[in-house]
Amino acid sequence: MRHPYDPLTADEITEAVAVVRSGRPELTDPRFAVVRTDPPPKDAVRGWEPGATPARSAFLVVYDRAGAATYECRVDLSAGKITDWAHLPGVQPAIMIEEIMELEAIVKADPAAVAALARHGVPDLDLLQIDPWSTGTLPVDGVAPGRRVIRASAYVREFAEDNGYARPVGNLIFVIDPNERTVVAIQDGDPIPLPPESGNYDAGSVGPLRTDLRPLHITQPDGPSFAVEGNVIAWQRWRLHVHVDAVEGLVLSDVSYLDGGRRRSILHRAGISEMVVPYGDTSNDFYFRNVFDAGEYNLGKTVGSLSLGCDCLGEIRYLDAVLADEAGVPQTIVNAICIHEEDYGILWKHWNFRYTDQPEVRRSRRLVVSAIHTIGNYEYGFFWYFYLDGTIQFEAKLTGIVQTRAVAPGETPGFGTLVAPQLDAPNHQHLFNMRLDLEVDGPDNTVLEVDAVGLPIGPGNEYGNAIVARKTEITNERDARRACDAATARTWKIVNPGVTNRFGEPVGYKLVPFVGPTLLAAPGSDLANRAEFARHHLWVTRYDPREMHAAGDYPNQHPGDGIGEWVKQERGLVNTDVVLWHTFGTSHLPRPEDWPIMPCEYVGFTLKPVGFFDRNPSLDVPPPQGHGEDHCHPAGG
Ligand SMILES: [Cu+2]
């Protein structure tokens, strides 16, 4: 089954790349930074029915290393020809994986870099680890603006599998030109001794393992309750499409709900439009460290393979991801997306204690669609949950290894936490932006800001107990930079003014946001301009297919673009195709317990129906039925 939003197949990638190579022979060594489906107009998706074969087109970002030039390109896959070709002056594509893999060799081949490493106590280069840092727009001495450069930090391992983050080389940063394959500058300071302790966490390194965890098995003797066809998943009343995009990672689209024979659209598309991880340490080797994991590193290409019994439990179905490497060769990441069901406690319950002494209780169950991205030291698990009552939830799980900095013996870090002797984990943030193209019963929606407020004492509220929902329509992009308010339990309700429920109210879904930090970088700073999206919890824009990435399509070495620019159009937002952009995340003040590997931190949000249904849509969930002792029975029953 082919869906219009299906990712490119291996054959389609191969064809698109071949068409570019033959159509643009003047590029002697084109690199393929991004190769993805060029999505058809939304109407083609709205009208799609299973069985229909959509037209296929590819979108590519091509980088010519020799000419240091970036191109965007579209290829019609049925005609086998380039339909669009544009040079993008001054644009740097994301740092490419092949560039990252070359950094170590570039450093080792540079005599000045080798001498600097020796001065910092690293005589043996065999166990050197080099990490890439996007450089932003802060100037580098001796490097002309516009030149493609990557900064790099160094770590030392004691053996091949050792955790290098235990021994960062302090006060030493290399600036590398990946096109020339040279070290163009060295930011060198006073050597700091390597921290003394190892930081390994594999089962063989941590000492005796606990022995009192007994087996916990999930069994589904009749199989799971969902079906997967191509990239389309059907579970209960839900139907959705899922894939891994090279930039955004796990993407949902075409999410609908079958309600009494009527298929109702809810969410047209959702993906991480950008995320930024700024570090809050001012030292010479940290002041520039911030990464836009989507736009600067192609987050989606870092998706890993999942394994049964480890990443997911139960009756699992997997989808592979096929992504192009930078040579344009399709690479298959086996089991990149995990699909399974989880028991989630009770869905609803009431015990009729007065008259029947009987409880009515139903089990909650959720469909889980997940993928895990490993980007440098960190893992980002993206988990979408679908529930029996119409709720959709997104959760990011943050784990992996915190970024580290060496400090002198006895020194207390000013902007971080000691996680091991002489090892500082600097404070930082992880701020995600989820682009939510909602489509509540059709494309034309309006967003209301809803606050629960108490009214002052006065006529009609003599006792001061009145609580009302204060609804404020967000009518224009001018007024569509919004903040969470925990005190009023603020939510944003997306309604369709053209469709009403049985109370005559427009049907809606509400975004229950993650009440967390926004960007802490000072206003006016380089980063505040580049990560403007992260300064507000919510933005609303009118749909434009060119607006997909909250910090712009090409944030690498770019002074700032994206949503802050788009909203200057001041487009109207009433009863039209709107897009919500929710910024959420954490200000991570590392704990000793985050070392040497960090237990999952959870951030996310929910979308809940509000008058979308006329009553609780999960009344028809049957009472728990099990086998033998599994079914529920009242005490003494
Ligand atoms: Cu963190």
Side-chain angles (χ1 to χ4, degrees):
M1 181 156 72
R2 301 304 308 277
H3 185 278
Y5 283 162
D6 274 353
L8 298 177
T9 63
D11 286 347
E12 287 175 330
I13 289 170
T14 302
E15 184 195 342
V17 166
V19 167
V20 170
R21 285 186 191 281
S22 64
R24 292 282 156 180
E26 70 275 17
L27 305 184
T28 50
D29 184 24
R31 310 318 295 169
F32 297 87
V34 174
V35 184
R36 52 158 58 143
T37 302
D38 181 31
K42 281 169 101 173
D43 280 342
V45 182
R46 292 186 183 119
W48 175 81
E49 289 295 333
T53 304
R56 300 288 288 165
S57 173
F59 171 85
L60 302 90
V61 178
V62 181
Y63 186 61
D64 172 32
R65 273 186 151 185
T70 306
Y71 302 88
E72 279 185 355
C73 168
R74 285 183 170 75
V75 172
D76 179 333
L77 291 165
S78 45
K81 65 171 198 222
I82 295 175
T83 51
D84 258 316
W85 180 264
H87 175 224
L88 306 178
V91 160
Q92 298 288 352
I95 294 173
M96 293 182 274
I97 292 170
E98 64 181 15
E99 291 176 320
I100 294 170
M101 303 312 265
E102 286 177 341
L103 296 179
E104 239 165 76
I106 294 168
V107 168
K108 288 177 182 174
D110 184 85
V114 172
L117 283 163
R119 200 163 54 246
H120 284 262
V122 190
D124 178 2
L125 299 184
D126 287 348
L127 295 166
L128 184 68
Q129 171 188 324
I130 294 290
D131 273 24
W133 292 93
S134 55
T135 197
T137 47
L138 294 172
V140 184
D141 279 348
V143 176
R147 182 174 185 180
R148 184 171 179 82
V149 288
I150 301 170
R151 291 194 225 222
S153 53
Y155 309 80
V156 187
R157 293 163 295 152
E158 296 205 303
F159 48 93
E161 303 80 16
D162 190 24
N163 175 7
Y165 297 102
R167 292 190 183 81
V169 179
N171 247 344
L172 181 65
I173 294 293
F174 303 110
V175 183
I176 293 168
D177 181 327
N179 291 335
E180 289 185 356
R181 297 179 173 85
T182 55
V183 178
V184 294
I186 299 176
Q187 296 177 273
D188 197 354
D190 292 338
I192 301 172
L194 292 173
E197 272 186 17
S198 298
N200 293 306
Y201 45 82
D202 57 290
S205 300
V206 295
L209 302 176
R210 60 183 78 181
T211 55
D212 50 356
L213 275 173
R214 298 196 178 114
L216 191 160
H217 294 300
I218 309 294
T219 56
Q220 294 180 266
D222 301 330
S225 302
F226 59 80
V228 183
E229 244 192 290
N231 287 64
V232 176
I233 305 166
W235 179 74
Q236 295 294 295
R237 313 271 154 77
W238 295 101
R239 191 178 79 193
L240 52 131
H241 181 272
V242 61
H243 78 286
V244 175
D245 177 77
V247 179
E248 300 155 283
L250 184 64
V251 171
L252 283 188
S253 37
D254 202 8
V255 179
S256 64
Y257 190 94
L258 189 63
D259 182 17
R262 182 161 61 117
R263 181 154 293 286
R264 304 176 66 185
S265 62
I266 295 172
L267 181 58
H268 187 81
R269 192 179 188 283
I272 291 294
S273 83
E274 190 51 88
M275 55 173 293
V276 65
V277 185
Y279 284 84
D281 186 295
T282 61
S283 58
N284 283 339
D285 52 351
F286 259 84
Y287 69 90
F288 60 87
R289 293 198 200 191
N290 56 71
V291 290
F292 292 65
D293 282 329
E296 288 184 335
Y297 288 84
N298 286 335
L299 174 70
K301 290 194 196 182
T302 70
V303 74
S305 291
L306 303 173
S307 47
L308 181 61
C310 298
D311 297 297
C312 304
L313 288 183
E315 283 294 313
I316 314 292
R317 299 293 178 268
Y318 293 104
L319 290 176
D320 296 344
V322 180
L323 295 165
D325 67 16
E326 284 115 15
V329 178
Q331 303 292 340
T332 299
I333 298 94
V334 175
N335 297 351
I337 299 173
C338 172
I339 304 153
H340 75 293
E341 293 172 287
E342 285 177 356
D343 180 88
Y344 195 63
I346 59 165
L347 171 64
W348 51 258
K349 172 169 183 165
H350 184 61
W351 169 36
N352 186 339
F353 65 92
R354 273 168 297 200
Y355 304 118
T356 68
D357 195 28
Q358 287 298 314
E360 284 288 335
V361 58
R362 302 293 181 270
R363 298 296 300 173
S364 179
R365 191 191 294 203
R366 62 187 187 183
L367 175 76
V368 188
V369 180
S370 64
I372 301 180
H373 312 82
T374 301
I375 183 147
N377 49 307
Y378 246 91
E379 312 332 266
Y380 296 110
F382 291 168
F383 290 72
W384 284 100
Y385 303 111
F386 293 84
Y387 294 85
L388 298 166
D389 68 347
T391 298
I392 304 172
Q393 181 187 0
F394 176 79
E395 184 173 66
K397 299 185 185 182
L398 286 59
T399 179
I401 305 173
V402 291
Q403 189 55 242
T404 53
R405 174 180 165 261
V407 293
E411 185 187 333
T412 303
F415 305 100
T417 307
L418 281 181
V419 294
Q422 295 165 235
L423 190 67
D424 168 21
N427 301 333
H428 59 278
Q429 296 189 280
H430 304 261
L431 296 170
F432 302 84
N433 183 275
M434 180 66 77
R435 179 182 179 279
L436 291 164
D437 184 358
L438 279 129
E439 192 153 300
V440 178
D441 259 336
D444 293 333
N445 293 167
T446 299
V447 182
L448 308 172
E449 185 165 281
V450 181
D451 292 288
V453 292
L455 298 182
I457 292 176
N461 185 32
E462 282 73 12
Y463 304 104
N465 65 313
I467 302 171
V468 296
R470 188 177 64 207
K471 296 176 185 164
T472 311
E473 202 170 78
I474 299 176
T475 57
N476 189 288
E477 291 178 341
R478 210 168 30 236
D479 311 311
R481 279 170 274 234
R482 312 305 307 169
C484 290
D485 187 342
T488 67
R490 177 171 290 170
T491 57
W492 290 284
K493 185 175 173 188
I494 304 92
V495 298
N496 186 327
V499 181
T500 51
N501 59 26
R502 68 176 172 136
F503 309 102
E505 294 286 327
V507 297
Y509 256 75
K510 67 176 175 183
L511 168 62
V512 184
F514 185 80
V515 183
T518 51
L519 188 73
L520 294 174
S525 64
D526 171 88
L527 183 63
N529 295 330
R530 301 182 61 229
E532 192 174 359
F533 75 88
R535 297 174 64 190
H536 304 280
H537 289 116
L538 182 81
W539 302 69
V540 187
T541 61
R542 193 194 287 178
Y543 173 77
D544 181 327
R546 295 166 300 184
E547 297 172 357
M548 296 297 291
H549 307 293
D553 293 346
Y554 302 100
N556 191 16
Q557 296 185 245
H558 196 288
D561 198 0
I563 197 159
E565 293 298 312
W566 307 330
V567 299
K568 289 177 181 167
Q569 298 171 80
E570 302 192 349
R571 291 167 292 194
L573 298 173
V574 176
N575 199 14
T576 186
D577 192 354
V578 292
V579 179
L580 286 79
W581 310 71
H582 178 32
T583 300
F584 60 96
T586 164
S587 294
H588 189 180
L589 309 176
R591 309 170 298 152
E593 292 87 345
D594 290 337
W595 183 257
I597 188 162
M598 176 184 154
C600 280
E601 183 87 15
Y602 305 89
V603 296
F605 60 85
T606 51
L607 293 164
K608 287 179 94 72
V610 183
F612 186 79
F613 301 107
D614 287 338
R615 59 183 62 74
N616 180 346
S618 62
L619 294 178
D620 60 345
V621 173
Q625 292 173 337
H627 306 273
E629 293 304 303
D630 291 347
H631 71 92
C632 66
H633 33 177

